[in-house]
Amino acid sequence: MKNILTIAMPKGRIFEEALKLLKKAGYRLPPEFDDSRKLILDVPEEGLRFILAKPMDVATYVEHGVADVGIAGKDVLLEEERDVYELLDLKISYCYLAVAGLPNTKMNDVAPRIATKYPNVAEAYFREQGEQVEIIKLNGSIELAPLIGLSDRIVDIVSTGRTLKENGLVEYEQIADVTSRLIVNPVSYRMKDTLIDELVARLHEVVFSGGV
Ligand code: PRP
């Protein structure tokens, strides 16, 4: 589909802001976007097809070329190191990756345990600090781990800070800032450069004139 651009969109909390950005960039998207269970949404009048994916999977779809472009969190890109180009910082869904744990506690001296959804990021961070740690991979509700004695620390996303606060946890270190990025498949970028350049230019204008 040479004249259609397939965009992988992350379902969940980034979705709404990403949608606002596209609308502000002048794309007319049907109302079913706001409340639909469909996983593929075609908007032929704009030459777009949307794939609604789990945030962690967006870069996978783009790397394999089944989506030409995608909107992915920098957290996912740091964790997965996919073969995609990062074209634009959309400056939406700001949050950061941090080390957190119970207050006033020291990490175990021998191989402290770190629970996280981001094993590669966590491993690299502690290696740089010269710490040998045991990584425990979880898929969500990471904050549970130190509360029930599964880990000394967690590496996780902090957005408003509410989850940490309401669970009596504190932040120890900030690791990296996270915003959503527009990513592209390298082959698509060669084959559909005009379509992709137009999308980038339109989004760029919104982002640099104040965003959503
Ligand atoms: C993320 C993250 C934290 C929370 C942080 O989880 O893993 O748990 O949001 O947000 P806050 O600082 O605004 O409280 P998410 O809601 O994506 O679900 P998960 O626990 O399934 O990862």
Side-chain angles (χ1 to χ4, degrees), residues 17-183:
E17 275 189 273
L19 204 57
K20 266 195 220 158
L21 202 63
L22 286 165
K23 284 181 180 167
K24 215 166 164 189
Y27 292 99
R28 283 155 303 151
L29 305 176
E32 63 176 323
F33 257 83
D34 297 320
D35 180 30
S36 172
R37 293 265 166 165
K38 278 194 183 164
L39 299 173
I40 299 176
L41 289 163
D42 283 314
V43 189
E45 35 319 345
E46 293 286 6
L48 298 177
R49 156 172 279 200
F50 291 88
I51 293 177
L52 273 50
K54 282 275 181 200
M56 276 281 186
D57 295 334
V58 165
T60 310
Y61 290 102
V62 175
E63 182 181 49
H64 288 273
V66 290
D68 301 304
V69 300
I71 293 179
K74 185 68 183 173
D75 53 334
V76 176
L77 299 173
L78 287 171
E79 177 63 23
E80 306 246 314
E81 292 189 7
R82 296 277 174 187
D83 187 13
V84 297
Y85 298 152
E86 204 180 296
L87 291 185
L88 184 63
D89 181 351
L90 299 171
K91 300 192 194 294
I92 55 170
S93 308
Y94 170 76
C95 53
Y96 57 92
L97 280 160
V99 179
L102 288 167
N104 308 314
T105 51
K106 281 199 171 358
M107 292 206 296
N108 200 342
D109 283 344
V110 185
R113 286 170 302 166
I114 314 294
T116 186
K117 251 192 305 198
Y118 303 93
N120 294 325
V121 170
E123 178 90 52
Y125 174 76
F126 284 102
R127 198 183 321 116
E128 268 170 33
Q129 310 296 309
E131 300 251 20
Q132 249 203 338
V133 298
E134 180 192 342
I135 303 288
I136 299 175
K137 165 86 163 67
L138 295 175
N139 291 306
S141 302
I142 313 297
E143 291 81 359
L144 263 177
L147 298 177
I148 54 173
L150 178 63
S151 75
D152 298 270
R153 294 283 187 266
I154 61 171
V155 166
D156 200 16
I157 287 292
V158 179
S159 175
T160 61
R162 259 189 81 188
T163 311
L164 289 182
K165 196 159 181 252
E166 291 187 13
N167 289 291
L169 301 175
V170 295
E171 203 178 289
Y172 282 95
E173 303 284 342
Q174 295 195 5
I175 298 182
D177 284 333
V178 171
T179 48
S180 300
R181 311 296 164 105
L182 184 73
I183 57 170

